[in-house]
Amino acid sequence: YQTCEYEHFYYTYDEKYYIDTLLQNDFLLIGFHATSSYDDINSFLQETSLFISDSLSTIYNSDYIQIIKRFIKPQTCFEINDIIEDLEVNEIVSFAAHCYKGEFCFGFDCTELMSYSNEFVVSLNDSYDIKGLQGLCENTNTWISKHSEYYFVIRVDKNSQGNALEMANYFYESGLFHYSHPNFHYFNI
């Protein structure tokens, strides 16, 4: 496997959990604004000449259409980083993220791929330090998407200081959080 210029890991409480060796060089998760039409998305993806025509998995929610695409040919980690940068220049793309081997089973139904999309989950050390959380969000151009009594879901996009994996680690390293990790999604391919 090939290493990237930054390490792929997230914190499981105080321990770094490395996923560098799980990095997949055939796949990419791309998030589009939900207001984008399928014709516009398909046209854009065809114009890149990077991907096979079929989408391997599609997730719809109220804000985003997330699509797993397979590259026509495998890419190095550095090439994927450059591709993400190039894709995010386009107005139609909200974010793009690396994919990893990720087996998650529920009964007999197992997945093969995972990615972190544009969300990460945090829990504050001091549940009253909302101002600290809001300050971090403001400084990193991230925002609170959902929250409960125990956790917050933070979102990123291409205008944030980093992707969901990088921001989850940055937030954890601030010392304000009990935990902070990417909100992984699992896909069958």
Side-chain angles (χ1 to χ4, degrees):
Y1 84 100
Q2 179 212 4
T3 57
C4 284
E5 71 266 19
Y6 66 88
E7 298 174 303
H8 290 244
F9 71 90
Y10 61 94
Y11 288 96
T12 12
Y13 300 96
D14 287 336
E15 297 292 320
K16 286 183 179 180
Y17 183 74
Y18 288 89
I19 54 176
D20 295 77
T21 59
L22 303 176
L23 187 63
Q24 295 291 286
N25 61 356
D26 290 337
F27 305 99
L28 189 67
L29 174 67
I30 307 168
F32 299 92
H33 298 287
T35 55
S36 304
S37 76
Y38 291 105
D39 288 341
D40 288 345
I41 291 170
N42 288 330
S43 174
F44 168 74
L45 290 170
Q46 285 175 357
E47 285 172 19
T48 67
S49 302
L50 291 167
F51 307 102
I52 62 169
S53 58
D54 294 342
S55 295
L56 300 173
S57 183
T58 305
I59 297 176
Y60 312 91
N61 68 29
S62 58
D63 300 321
Y64 300 100
I65 300 167
Q66 299 175 45
I67 300 174
I68 295 280
K69 294 296 286 184
R70 182 188 301 263
F71 291 113
I72 291 172
K73 65 181 180 70
Q75 305 290 322
T76 68
C77 183
F78 293 109
E79 289 170 332
I80 294 172
N81 290 344
D82 289 344
I83 289 167
I84 289 171
E85 215 173 280
D86 290 345
L87 291 176
E88 288 181 343
V89 168
N90 195 290
E91 187 178 301
I92 197 171
V93 176
S94 180
F95 63 90
H98 290 273
C99 292
Y100 307 86
K101 287 180 193 167
E103 188 171 301
F104 175 77
C105 295
F106 186 74
F108 293 110
D109 189 20
C110 293
T111 63
E112 302 156 306
L113 205 63
M114 70 179 187
S115 187
Y116 45 79
S117 75
N118 68 323
E119 297 178 332
F120 62 101
V121 181
V122 300
S123 175
L124 286 162
N125 283 328
D126 177 355
S127 61
Y128 298 105
D129 197 2
I130 303 298
K131 285 189 194 250
L133 170 59
Q134 290 170 332
L136 267 176
C137 287
E138 200 172 292
N139 291 336
T140 57
N141 203 16
T142 58
W143 64 98
I144 298 169
S145 169
K146 299 178 217 164
H147 64 88
S148 75
E149 184 180 344
Y150 304 106
Y151 69 90
F152 295 84
V153 175
I154 311 295
R155 281 199 174 160
V156 304
D157 65 13
K158 62 186 175 188
N159 301 310
S160 300
Q161 188 174 311
N163 62 40
L165 182 67
E166 294 165 329
M167 289 292 87
N169 293 340
Y170 181 81
F171 273 54
Y172 184 79
E173 291 165 358
S174 75
L176 291 175
F177 302 95
H178 179 60
Y179 68 83
S180 175
H181 57 82
N183 189 13
F184 283 105
H185 297 283
Y186 295 86
F187 305 91
N188 284 318
I189 46 175

